[in-house]
């Protein structure tokens, strides 16, 4: 990466556009590698402008890859925006090329260990949870009743400052405060939130009981109900899960035998405690709840016998995610995460890159990184099939950038994709998985998911990720019920503005104070400490247990 004064940046030597690192004014003189021109108009921070004039149909290159073509004349320094730049529609194809990878030096990390929970299948968890799962949305009420009964008594409820706020508001109102006065009274003391620790837990070696409520299981096609069972099986067999309680109504599409089949697919020798209760067999709701609570309590007592033990870093499976991306995502946090990914892949661990709509425009690069033609063919076919379903629903991958993305300079899907794909580093693609399949190979795995943050994170965990690394440029609070989600800011102003949801800052890369490699190693060190239970992520402190099932073809 070539740093040009810190006011603007050429990401790759072959790029014909620059990125503004700060707001640039009309008339400002720009100089780079023999090019010299004056900006004809202001360019906001994170937006792009060409280093020479572009004519209709000319290519635009960023990150060393084609990210679009201009639709009209754009002078040197002209602001690139949705009115003058569109995606290039060239179709990717098998090239027969396969990456010869120069792995990074991992000598510093080879003897490093994290403290994890070993399971009988050889996988290692970074946490130890019990899950309660409904096979159909009809059981969500019973799920909530179990949550209310168990969490408080077992010591798993995090601090809740807002009831205290309501009490203070109520008292002020009863003492005669007007509506206007209520709006301006200082209640800051009631919002102070302490750190929740394991000291008050009945089962100190169980990190929590998690309730995976969802809106599926019935009233859908069999493809969706089978996919739901596969997703739930991914959580039940996950190394961070000690056992599960499953609630069923009885008449839904998502049947227990389908769930069992999906469990066996993922874990042929599955031996975790698994308790199943069907309401239409047990009759009264209190019968189901009584039996389910007793079984869950007994399961927790068993799970509490687990202890953390040292594990090599090849037992890590990293989920790579981005949400609320900005124009700095592909410059700072994402490439730093890419270096972390390369280190883990070189150490024999697994890495998951998902969000297929955000890979539009970089398919050829990823295809050429696949270890063989069969893997590349599957990737291209899954991309084509998904995009075709999106078009049939009146959308398409090219409509993926959100208004927030566009305002922050990600004006085409290909620009967003080229930056998003940086999370996957430079290592070979060893496998391509369809939703909701499970990772079975070390190295970089591509997983077909939507670009929706929570749906994708939910799927990555079902595929086996035991830590999720999540970059954001605008701020998003996404977490997961059973896996720590490390939130990484792309820029320092965001990190300072939203410290309650963000764990790490990579803004020093933009400022030129830290290299991508240094940040990537810092992220890996932090990840090891999170995986060992030494650091609790902000999402976990907030109880941010996001879990959304992908109804295929509906979400983009």
């Amino acid at each position: 990466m070539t740093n040009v004064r810190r006011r603007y940046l050429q990401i790759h030597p072959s790029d014909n556009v620059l990125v503004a690192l700060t707001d640039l004014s009309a008339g400002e003189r720009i100089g780079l590698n023999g090019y010299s021109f004056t900006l004809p108009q202001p360019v906001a921070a994170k937006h792009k402008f060409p280093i020479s004039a572009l004519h209709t149909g000319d290519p635009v290159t960023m990150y060393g890859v084609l990210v679009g073509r201009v639709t009209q004349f754009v002078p040197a320094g002209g602001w690139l925006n949705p009115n003058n730049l569109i995606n290039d529609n060239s179709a990717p194809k098998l090239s027969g090329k396969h990456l010869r990878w120069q792995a990074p030096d991992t000598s510093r990390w080879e003897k490093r260990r994290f403290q994890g929970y070993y399971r009988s299948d050889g996988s290692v968890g970074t946490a130890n949870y019990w899950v309660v799962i409904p096979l159909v949305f009809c059981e969500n009420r019973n799920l909530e009743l179990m949550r209310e009964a168990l969490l408080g008594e077992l010591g798993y409820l995090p601090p809740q400052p807002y009831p205290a706020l309501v009490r203070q508001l109520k008292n002020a109102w009863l003492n005669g405060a007007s509506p206007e006065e209520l709006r301006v009274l200082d209640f800051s003391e009631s919002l102070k939130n302490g750190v929740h620790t394991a000291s008050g837990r009945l089962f100190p070696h169980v990190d929590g009981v998690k309730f995976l409520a969802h809106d599926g299981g019935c009233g859908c096609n069999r493809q969706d109900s089978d996919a739901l069972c596969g997703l739930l099986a991914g959580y039940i067999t996950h190394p961070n899960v000690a056992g599960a309680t499953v609630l069923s109504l009885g008449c839904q599409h998502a049947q227990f035998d389908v769930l069992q089949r999906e469990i066996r697919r993922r874990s042929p020798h599955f031996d975790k405690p698994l308790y199943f209760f069907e309401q239409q067999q047990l009759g009264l709701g209190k019968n189901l709840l009584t039996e389910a609570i007793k079984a869950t309590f007994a399961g927790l007592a068993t799970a509490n016998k687990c202890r953390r033990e040292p594990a090599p870093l090849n037992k890590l499976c990293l989920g790579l995610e981005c949400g609320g991306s900005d124009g700095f995502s592909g410059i700072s946090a994402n490439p730093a995460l890419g270096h972390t990914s390369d280190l883990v892949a070189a150490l024999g661990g697994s890495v998951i890159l998902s969000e297929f709509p955000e890979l539009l425009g970089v398919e050829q690069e990823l295809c050429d990184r696949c270890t063989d033609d069969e893997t590349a063919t599957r990737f291209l076919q899954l991309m084509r099939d998904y995009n075709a379903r999106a078009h049939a629903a009146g959308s398409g991958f090219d409509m993926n950038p959100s208004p927030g993305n566009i305002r922050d300079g990600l004006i085409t899907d290909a620009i967003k994709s080229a930056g998003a794909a940086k999370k996957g580093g430079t290592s070979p693609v060893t496998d391509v998985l369809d939703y909701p399949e499970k990772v079975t190979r070390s190295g970089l795995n591509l997983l077909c998911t939507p670009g929706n943050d929570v749906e994708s994170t939910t799927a990555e965990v079902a595929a086996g990720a035991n830590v999720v690394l999540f970059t954001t440029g605008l701020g998003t609070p996404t977490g997961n019920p059973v896996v720590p989600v490390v939130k990484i800011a792309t820029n320092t102003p965001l990190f300072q503005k939203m410290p309650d949801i963000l764990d790490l800052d990579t803004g020093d890369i933009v400022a030129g104070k830290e290299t991508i490699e240094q940040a990537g190693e810092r992220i890996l060190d932090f990840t090891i400490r999170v995986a060992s239970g030494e650091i609790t992520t902000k999402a976990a402190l907030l109880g941010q247990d996001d879990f959304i099932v992908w109804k295929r073809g509906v979400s983009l």
Side-chain angles (χ1 to χ4, degrees):
M1 185 172 74
T2 305
N3 196 6
V4 183
R5 288 195 297 174
R6 297 183 188 172
R7 291 185 59 76
Y8 45 89
L9 177 74
Q10 184 184 37
I11 299 174
H12 188 276
S14 67
D15 291 354
N16 62 354
V17 296
L18 304 181
V19 181
L21 299 183
T22 186
D23 292 343
L24 304 177
S25 303
E28 181 163 343
R29 197 70 186 168
I30 306 296
L32 172 74
N33 297 338
Y35 290 94
S36 181
F37 55 90
T38 299
L39 291 180
Q41 63 192 112
V43 180
K46 307 178 186 180
H47 284 258
K48 289 80 181 171
F49 55 96
I51 58 178
S52 61
L54 299 175
H55 298 271
T56 302
D58 281 352
V60 171
T61 304
M62 281 185 64
Y63 305 102
V65 298
L66 178 66
V67 296
R69 293 184 182 275
V70 295
T71 59
Q72 61 191 59
F73 174 76
V74 180
W79 173 42
L80 292 170
N81 60 73
N83 296 320
N84 59 26
L85 181 65
I86 60 172
N87 281 317
D88 178 81
N89 293 319
S90 302
K93 57 186 178 181
L94 288 178
S95 63
K97 300 178 181 177
H98 298 296
L99 180 68
R100 292 184 178 180
W101 185 46
Q102 182 64 47
D105 180 11
T106 59
S107 56
R108 173 188 167 188
W109 306 95
E110 286 169 357
K111 294 183 180 179
R112 189 77 180 269
R113 298 291 182 265
F114 72 96
Q115 298 293 317
Y117 295 96
Y118 276 85
R119 307 302 180 187
S120 63
D121 62 359
S123 63
V124 180
T126 59
N128 190 38
Y129 287 100
W130 190 275
V131 294
V132 184
I133 293 176
L135 282 178
V136 63
F137 58 83
C138 305
E139 291 299 318
N140 283 345
R141 174 181 173 274
N142 287 329
L143 215 70
E144 187 59 33
L145 290 172
M146 289 186 66
R147 185 202 308 267
E148 293 173 1
L150 288 166
L151 294 192
E153 290 296 325
L154 300 180
Y156 290 118
L157 280 179
Q160 298 294 327
Y162 302 106
L165 171 62
V166 174
R167 282 194 298 273
Q168 291 192 34
L169 287 166
K170 181 181 74 171
N171 291 335
W173 170 254
L174 292 174
N175 288 325
S178 68
E180 291 75 18
E181 289 172 326
L182 293 173
R183 292 289 301 275
V184 298
L185 287 173
D186 182 10
F187 296 108
S188 57
E189 285 300 312
S190 67
L191 292 177
K192 286 184 178 178
N193 194 0
V195 176
H196 183 53
T197 68
S199 59
R201 295 176 185 169
L202 182 63
F203 300 113
H205 300 289
V206 179
D207 292 296
V209 187
K210 298 298 182 177
F211 300 83
L212 308 186
H214 58 81
D215 64 356
C218 200
C220 55
N221 59 48
R222 293 301 173 91
Q223 180 193 34
D224 282 340
S225 62
D226 286 356
L228 170 65
C229 287
L231 184 82
L232 297 178
Y235 275 73
I236 292 170
T237 59
H238 195 281
N240 284 23
V241 172
T245 303
V246 179
L247 304 185
S248 170
L249 179 61
C251 55
Q252 71 277 348
H253 282 165
Q255 288 288 306
F256 187 56
D257 62 337
V258 179
L259 177 66
Q260 288 178 305
R261 181 189 70 205
E262 294 296 331
I263 289 173
R264 287 192 296 271
R265 281 182 178 176
R266 289 157 178 78
S267 180
H269 304 291
F270 179 78
D271 60 356
K272 295 178 183 178
L274 179 64
Y275 305 123
F276 173 70
F277 301 96
E278 188 167 290
Q279 189 168 358
Q280 289 171 349
Q281 287 185 353
L282 292 169
L284 293 174
K286 70 176 183 179
N287 294 344
L288 176 135
L289 287 167
T290 299
E291 294 304 314
I293 289 172
K294 288 193 299 183
T296 300
F297 195 97
L300 288 166
T302 300
N304 195 52
K305 298 176 183 178
C306 298
R307 298 291 186 274
R308 290 185 182 270
E309 300 177 52
L313 299 189
N314 64 14
K315 295 296 184 179
L316 287 176
C317 180
L318 302 183
L320 312 175
E321 190 68 32
C322 57
S325 300
D326 73 341
F328 289 157
S329 294
I331 296 172
S332 57
N334 286 356
L337 190 51
H339 185 62
T340 307
S341 305
D342 285 346
L343 289 170
V344 171
L347 288 163
S350 300
V351 183
I352 305 172
L353 179 64
S354 58
E355 299 180 291
F356 271 30
E358 299 186 3
L359 300 181
L360 177 70
V362 292
E363 302 104 314
Q364 189 64 62
E365 178 193 3
L366 289 171
C367 182
D368 293 345
R369 285 171 58 183
C370 290
T371 52
D372 53 55
D373 284 350
E374 181 181 1
T375 304
T377 298
R378 192 177 197 216
F379 169 60
L380 293 179
Q381 190 62 52
L382 285 173
M383 287 286 288
R384 293 186 191 116
D385 290 349
Y386 187 0
N387 200 12
R389 286 195 301 273
H391 277 289
S395 188
F397 283 1
D398 58 328
M399 299 174 69
N400 180 261
S402 69
N405 294 149
I406 294 170
R407 283 194 300 270
D408 263 44
L410 302 179
I411 55 180
T412 70
D413 192 80
I415 290 178
K416 184 178 180 182
S417 297
K422 289 295 179 182
K423 300 191 303 294
T426 61
S427 66
V429 175
T430 57
D431 205 1
V432 174
L433 309 173
D434 196 6
Y435 176 89
E437 292 176 342
K438 184 174 182 177
V439 168
T440 59
R441 297 180 187 174
S442 60
L444 178 60
N445 292 255
L446 303 182
L447 172 65
C448 182
T449 75
N452 177 285
D453 306 341
V454 178
E455 289 175 324
S456 182
T457 301
T458 301
E460 287 185 342
V461 172
N466 53 13
V467 178
V468 174
L469 303 179
F470 191 119
T471 68
T472 181
L474 303 177
T476 178
T478 303
N480 183 265
V482 302
V483 165
V485 179
V486 177
K487 214 65 61 58
I488 305 167
T490 70
N491 62 90
T492 300
L494 173 70
F495 185 75
Q496 294 172 340
K497 182 180 180 181
M498 306 179 78
D500 59 327
I501 68 170
L502 298 169
D503 300 289
L504 292 171
D505 176 25
T506 58
D508 279 353
I509 295 175
V510 179
K513 299 176 182 178
E514 185 178 39
T515 68
I516 287 171
E517 292 74 21
Q518 288 169 338
E521 296 210 352
R522 179 164 57 88
I523 291 170
L524 180 54
D525 182 73
F526 189 89
T527 298
I528 294 168
R529 296 178 66 194
V530 168
S532 299
E534 297 174 15
I535 296 177
T536 303
T537 63
K538 299 295 180 62
L541 287 173
L542 291 171
Q544 191 80 32
D545 291 341
D546 298 312
F547 181 85
I548 300 180
V549 178
W550 180 25
K551 292 184 178 178
R552 195 150 199 170
V554 175
S555 294
L556 178 64

